[in-house]
Amino acid sequence: MRLINGVEFIDQRVNRDMRGDLLAFEHFSNVPFPMERVFVMKVSSSEVTRGGHANSCDELIVALTGSVEIQVDNGDERTAIGLDGYDRALWIKPGILIHLQDFRPGTLLLVCASARYGETRHYDRAQPHLFMADCLA
């Protein structure tokens, strides 16, 4: 489901049975790009803000526990998105400016990225040419 150009939800398949829930991340199954880096972000206070930049790589964000509001800006459109469960991930394409805020204390986010940290550029504003090039390919 497209939210703004360059940002969309991807439903995640959660396998549930009497033992609990299992969520797997597989390239081109529920992660739309080759993963080069995976990291976890734990936030203990609702006062914390993260992000504040656009990246040169794709990112897929999943709220494993808790919730967060993610403000996204592609240079032309802006919206705020609530993320509060691991059954849906947010795919943020390169060049989208993101701000993460209003965390529920104890929120745990899983982030898959298409590039390693040292290979990723960070920008202080949206870079529409990065995700538009991907859309035109």
Side-chain angles (χ1 to χ4, degrees), residues 59-127:
E59 289 189 334
L60 188 77
I61 303 174
V62 179
L64 296 176
T65 61
S67 64
V68 62
E69 178 183 282
I70 303 175
Q71 295 198 9
V72 291
D73 176 352
N74 66 14
D76 290 323
E77 306 168 283
R78 292 184 182 125
T79 193
I81 302 159
L83 199 57
D84 65 357
Y86 52 82
D87 58 338
R88 190 154 56 158
L90 188 64
W91 179 16
I92 300 173
K93 295 182 182 178
I96 303 296
L97 180 66
I98 63 172
H99 289 87
L100 294 89
Q101 61 191 33
D102 295 330
F103 288 90
R104 183 180 309 147
T107 294
L108 188 63
L109 300 179
L110 176 78
V111 183
C112 302
S114 65
R116 295 177 181 183
Y117 182 79
E119 299 166 354
T120 304
R121 295 200 53 204
H122 304 281
Y123 306 94
D124 61 358
R125 67 184 140 215
Q127 302 294 309

